[in-house]
Amino acid sequence: MDVFGFAVGDVDGDGEDDILSFDSEDRLAMFSLDGQRKWRSGERYGGSMGAVDYGSDTEHKLSRGHPREYVITLSVNQRILLCDLDGDGLKEVIVPQNVRYVSLVNIDEITGIKESKIVILGWDGVTMSEKWLTKAVPFFTSDIALSDVDNDGQLELISGVTRFQKLVRGSKESSVIVYELAGGS
């Protein structure tokens, strides 16, 4: 687990906080506070394209031309949101799901993201199950948030998305999508 892409709250209703995080394979995992894994998803969620290079400017410049020099790159996972959206006393888990391309062509020539959606999961007593999801969009979901953006007393789900067009000189188009949550608190 790293400092990005985790959340803490009681998700399974046992009265104790759980830790949710993305692992190195973009699987969502739930742990008790003492570090025992309680659950791990079969599906991949998250799928961040964000990263931070760690090292000096000199090291970074040298890493581009000298195979012996390198910079440590740390992935920056997306946010995991917890919120009791349906009023049942259990917090739902809200995560982006970026679907990567599977391709036999040069992976550096494409962005790596085919489409994305946002998934709301809930604990059903045994496992996390899907409660709601958005339609897939041909964008990379970089961040998510909950807010009452239209002041109607109901939370909306907000998604920051980017469409990359790497084949056209790395151009980008970013947008914000707002989803109404039926019965949201």
Side-chain angles (χ1 to χ4, degrees):
M1 181 179 354
D2 61 32
V3 298
F4 301 104
F6 79 97
V8 178
D10 185 10
V11 174
D12 60 7
D14 65 0
E16 298 200 13
D17 283 343
D18 304 298
I19 302 169
L20 287 103
S21 68
F22 296 118
D23 67 16
S24 62
E25 297 178 350
D26 288 330
R27 310 273 185 202
L28 184 63
M30 182 170 68
F31 298 89
S32 62
L33 289 178
D34 65 5
Q36 296 297 312
R37 188 171 80 191
K38 296 171 129 180
W39 173 84
R40 181 178 185 248
S41 68
E43 295 243 3
R44 294 178 192 273
Y45 297 99
S48 177
M49 291 177 61
V52 175
D53 287 336
Y54 177 77
S56 71
D57 288 339
T58 304
E59 289 171 337
H60 185 70
K61 289 175 185 169
L62 289 174
S63 70
R64 301 294 184 232
H66 297 24
R68 288 189 210 144
E69 302 288 340
Y70 64 92
V71 173
I72 298 169
T73 301
L74 303 171
S75 290
V76 179
N77 288 317
Q78 288 98 340
R79 209 184 312 218
I80 298 170
L81 302 178
L82 302 180
C83 185
D84 182 5
L85 295 170
D86 57 12
D88 67 355
L90 296 176
K91 292 181 180 176
E92 280 74 37
V93 179
I94 307 160
V95 292
Q97 185 176 41
N98 288 298
V99 179
R100 297 187 182 280
Y101 280 106
V102 177
S103 175
L104 299 176
V105 299
N106 182 355
I107 215 74
D108 290 332
E109 292 300 316
I110 59 175
T111 64
I113 300 297
K114 177 182 176 185
E115 63 187 19
S116 68
K117 57 188 168 187
I118 301 170
V119 181
I120 298 178
L121 304 164
W123 189 254
D124 65 10
V126 178
T127 189
M128 282 293 173
S129 59
E130 189 176 284
K131 295 180 93 171
W132 186 83
L133 68 143
T134 64
K135 291 182 181 179
V137 294
F139 296 99
F140 164 68
T141 298
S142 57
D143 199 10
I144 57 175
L146 290 170
S147 183
D148 181 7
V149 297
D150 57 6
N151 294 317
D152 66 354
Q154 301 291 314
L155 289 175
E156 284 83 31
L157 178 58
I158 304 144
S159 174
V161 297
T162 303
R163 180 188 315 231
F164 294 94
Q165 296 174 330
K166 191 169 184 177
L167 296 175
V168 186
R169 313 293 288 167
S171 63
K172 299 177 190 176
E173 171 189 327
S174 296
S175 301
V176 174
I177 301 173
V178 178
Y179 298 95
E180 292 287 337
L181 297 172
S185 55

